[in-house]
């Protein structure tokens, strides 16, 4: 096992009706900016629940944070924070709203002369202060509600960049599975795929004998495989939604990745597809992952065999046959959720692959994976294999 | 799944050499009281590592915290804290030192007129302030290094009581598996049994469809079953010690018990055996658990069957045969670690059972278990079945 530091300070309030307890988690005299997305929370009752919980408090609203939240939109919120002396941010939404709110929290307190986009260029290293954040989660997927990372897009340049800093880790997160009942199936499916791939990217590397981490990861994968399809078929089954929601949080709060190698190459290659073609984040992961696993079958051999056995119960056939079976089962799982796994399914013919690869090059993403040996040429072949 | 609040704010520094980074986690101007036990840390290098890490800092020492830490000893440390204006407590040791230090932290700031033993009588509810605590863990077992609970014994009355309060949850915990190499086999075995029973008491109740919690618990049990015996046979195998250490922490930081029923009856019955006869905590758990599981086989039926299948791979025979098999395997596992599972193995003949039961009665522990239906009569029969 590798050395690690693990800090998961976000207080989780999980279950039916937990939004009502929100006010106790925010200082009584806080000047709150509530951030949200396109307004679905006004139709599903979440907005009313939050406002009711915060009755008598100072609350301003900032709406319009997009999927793949943009610097351009978020800087408008930063202006409001500074002008209105906001001192607490309450993100009500999914991963995009949480991510965007993390940028607002850091940018509002960013004292350097430079443009706050510098926070992204330095991957968060220069953040020395941030507003406190709480999250009311409406879409289980990214894990952003209890981690320190965020991904922000700059419209003008088409860039999609990540930053991390413990200062933007939410103080609390409210997770009520009931608020997910009204989500469109596509968003639930995307969330399951996202959580699944987060888990895989911290699990399918090379063995370091981290038995707790491996079994926790396998537990999340098995849960998502069982509950993902049911979440679509039985949208108001509370326990199913609860299991999906809790899996997504645990998949990316740092726990399963502590002390083990990680491989975020599928995310890196996927981000470029979203930036260029606007595909949903999870769709890009579903395209890249099966091709990536196949391309890395030598380097990931032992863990792929463990994955085949423990997650997909594949115990017969040769090593290569079991690995083939596990990759095919992964692909089939994504497809069964209605998330296609090839570029062609999204009417993309591969002509943009040179552009995708040159974007990776611009960002110096030229040595990806747990061995830092996935070159641009390898990435190009993975894109090509996913046609 | 049940509603829950989960807060795991302890920052974990895990791995070889992590003690060296200790100073960065404690305010530079802190007046530190370092608490420890019988002095084994002076022989295994841990004391020197800690002192070296804290070079130039203000550090006083308080040694002599016993296994099953006593109120009488701890109150001497409270006097030192008050007299020397200590503002940070660094516990260096196992669960007893961590637990004792939590009491010191709460008692030092206890402003009520009443004797600080009142903290125990009110189970921690009246604690409104506590000194910050850090832990350097030397013995993986209790999980106390990253939770809010403590168990304290009062010598004069022979009482053993627990209290919980988030204010005494350690700010950080340093877990270096190498410092466990020199532990006596009995302490390692006890630690594995303790962590195993902690997991079982949050897992073997009735199903609420908490799939993540179940699989995480099963992952810990499987890891302890694989690594426990190896920890004894290969005392300097780093990964084995790391897996045991990380399992013990995860077994009782709140994670696997969040959102599921819990049954701490084995602990309650065990505490009285330690208080009366001085047996090691884990020895008492090894005595009580198999008898308790057998006595509760109707109420725990579904989870016992799940345990039989997923943890012990028992898939043939009738339901009752598989339950018998799982309980027998549990007993055999404890015995294989050198921890006997019957009163008679410890030269106890059962003549004290009426006293044990009357102690439970004094503490109103008359409705234990996840259904609150384990009466004194049931507890008596469990004790008798464990002869």
């Amino acid at each position: 096992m590798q050395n690690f530091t693990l800090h998961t300070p976000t207080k989780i309030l999980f279950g039916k009706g937990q939004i009502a307890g929100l006010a106790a988690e925010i200082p009584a005299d806080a000047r709150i900016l509530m951030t949200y997305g396109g307004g679905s929370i006004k139709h599903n009752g979440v907005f009313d629940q939050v406002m009711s919980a915060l009755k008598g408090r100072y609350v301003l609203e900032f709406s319009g944070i997009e999927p793949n939240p943009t610097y351009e939109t978020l800087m408008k919120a930063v202006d409001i924070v500074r002008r209105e002396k906001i001192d607490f941010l309450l993100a009500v939404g999914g991963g995009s709203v949480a991510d965007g709110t993390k940028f607002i929290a850091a940018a509002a307190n960013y004292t350097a002369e430079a443009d706050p986009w510098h926070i992204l260029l330095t991957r968060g290293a220069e953040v020395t202060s941030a507003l406190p954040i709480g999250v009311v989660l409406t879409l289980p997927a990214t894990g952003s509600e209890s981690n320190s990372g965020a991904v922000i897009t700059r419209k003008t340049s088409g860039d999609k960049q990540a930053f991390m800093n413990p200062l933007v880790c939410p103080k609390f997160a409210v997770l009520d599975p009931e608020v997910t009942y009204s989500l469109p199936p596509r968003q639930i499916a995307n969330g399951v795929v996202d959580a699944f791939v987060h888990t895989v990217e911290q699990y399918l590397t090379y063995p370091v004998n981290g038995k707790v981490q491996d079994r926790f990861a396998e537990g999340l994968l098995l849960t998502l495989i069982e509950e993902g399809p049911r979440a679509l078929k039985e949208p108001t089954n509370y326990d199913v939604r609860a299991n999906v929601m809790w899996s997504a949080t645990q998949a990316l709060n740092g726990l399963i990745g502590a002390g083990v190698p990680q491989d975020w190459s599928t995310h890196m290659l996927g981000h470029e597809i979203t930036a260029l073609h606007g595909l949903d984040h999870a769709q890009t992961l579903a395209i890249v992952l099966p091709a990536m696993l196949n391309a890395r079958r030598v380097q990931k051999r032992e863990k792929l065999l463990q994955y085949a056995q423990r997650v997909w119960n594949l115990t017969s056939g040769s090593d290569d046959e079991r690995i083939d079976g596990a990759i095919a089962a992964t692909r089939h799982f994504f497809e069964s959720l209605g998330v296609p796994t090839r570029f062609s399914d999204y009417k993309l013919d591969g002509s943009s692959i040179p552009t995708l690869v040159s974007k990776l090059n611009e960002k110096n993403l030229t040595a990806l994976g747990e061995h830092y040996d996935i070159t641009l040429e390898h990435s190009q072949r993975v894109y090509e294999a996913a046609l």
Side-chain angles (χ1 to χ4, degrees), chain A:
Chain A
M1 199 189 301
Q2 300 174 349
N3 280 11
F4 64 85
T5 299
L6 176 65
H7 199 197
T8 53
T10 305
K11 183 175 176 182
I12 305 287
L13 307 161
F14 192 102
K16 297 179 195 189
Q18 293 277 27
I19 294 173
L22 188 60
E25 306 302 324
I26 303 175
D29 57 351
R31 294 171 67 87
I32 304 166
L33 182 65
M34 174 181 166
T35 55
Y36 56 99
S40 63
I41 63 167
K42 296 218 169 162
H43 307 298
N44 64 11
V46 173
F47 181 87
D48 290 340
Q49 284 188 58
V50 171
M51 281 306 182
S52 169
L54 294 178
K55 205 170 168 184
R57 298 296 191 93
Y58 178 92
V59 186
L60 293 184
E61 293 176 44
F62 180 82
S63 67
I65 298 181
E66 319 88 327
N68 304 305
T70 66
Y71 165 83
E72 289 81 359
T73 297
L74 300 170
M75 285 304 291
K76 292 180 198 162
V78 171
D79 284 344
I80 294 173
V81 167
R82 289 174 174 165
R83 197 170 61 233
E84 303 295 338
K85 301 192 189 335
I86 295 295
D87 54 17
F88 198 97
L89 298 174
L90 181 64
V92 182
S96 297
V97 174
D99 278 16
T101 303
K102 289 175 183 177
F103 177 77
I104 299 167
N109 280 11
Y110 194 65
T111 50
E113 293 293 312
D115 183 320
W117 183 250
H118 207 68
I119 292 168
L120 280 304
L121 296 180
T122 55
R123 310 238 153 205
E126 288 183 357
V127 174
T128 56
S129 162
L131 292 184
I133 298 172
V135 177
V136 175
L137 189 68
T138 60
L139 172 60
T142 72
S144 183
E145 65 279 8
S146 69
N147 67 34
S148 304
V151 180
I152 308 296
T153 299
R154 189 163 190 165
K155 244 188 299 189
T156 49
S157 58
D159 273 347
K160 193 170 180 180
Q161 296 265 19
F163 82 100
M164 292 192 77
N165 193 289
L167 291 167
V168 300
C169 190
K171 304 299 174 201
F172 69 85
V174 182
L175 279 62
D176 180 347
E178 291 190 314
V179 310
T180 74
Y181 289 174
S182 59
L183 285 169
R186 172 167 155 181
Q187 289 197 26
I188 284 288
N190 281 347
V192 171
V193 170
D194 197 20
F196 192 93
V197 178
H198 288 159
T199 306
V200 165
E201 300 231 70
Q202 297 166 87
Y203 166 71
L204 269 176
T205 57
Y206 56 88
V208 295
N209 206 10
K211 293 198 173 191
V212 174
Q213 295 91 327
D214 278 4
R215 287 210 167 88
F216 280 12
E218 288 152 1
L220 296 178
L221 297 175
L222 287 164
T223 301
L224 290 165
I225 290 166
E226 286 169 12
E227 303 292 70
R230 289 183 69 191
L232 296 175
K233 282 188 210 102
E234 308 163 35
T236 60
N237 183 322
Y238 179 83
D239 281 340
V240 169
R241 290 294 170 111
N243 285 328
V244 167
M245 200 168 208
W246 195 220
S247 295
T249 296
Q250 291 299 321
L252 202 53
N253 66 356
L255 177 64
I256 61 168
V260 297
Q262 303 190 14
D263 167 15
W264 292 95
S265 60
T266 292
H267 269 74
M268 296 300 109
L269 269 63
H271 283 334
E272 297 311 323
I273 304 173
T274 297
L276 194 63
H277 296 294
L279 263 61
D280 296 349
H281 173 57
Q283 293 173 332
T284 72
L285 302 176
I287 291 171
V288 175
L289 185 72
M292 181 65 80
L293 292 181
N294 192 51
R296 306 298 292 173
R297 60 194 297 143
V298 172
Q299 296 83 352
K300 295 181 186 295
R301 187 167 195 83
E302 288 182 72
K303 291 302 280 286
L304 276 166
L305 287 167
Q306 182 175 322
Y307 173 65
Q309 183 188 336
R310 293 195 188 171
V311 176
W312 295 108
N313 201 22
L314 299 172
T315 52
S316 62
S318 69
D319 285 5
D320 275 315
E321 283 167 354
R322 297 202 304 283
I323 290 172
D324 285 341
I327 295 171
T330 307
R331 185 187 294 283
H332 178 258
F333 173 59
F334 296 159
E335 302 269 358
S336 77
L337 295 168
V339 185
T341 60
R342 298 191 183 277
F343 275 115
S344 52
D345 298 319
Y346 301 91
K347 314 224 180 305
L348 295 172
D349 61 6
S351 57
S352 70
I353 290 177
T355 309
L356 295 171
V357 173
S358 72
K359 280 285 183 183
L360 291 173
N361 191 27
E362 276 173 34
K363 291 186 187 164
N364 287 316
L365 299 174
T366 56
L368 297 172
E370 68 272 22
H371 296 291
Y372 311 102
D373 61 351
I374 302 176
T375 64
L376 290 179
E377 201 185 327
H378 293 118
S379 292
Q380 179 173 336
R381 271 187 250 141
V382 168
Y383 281 135
E384 286 165 357
L387 283 175

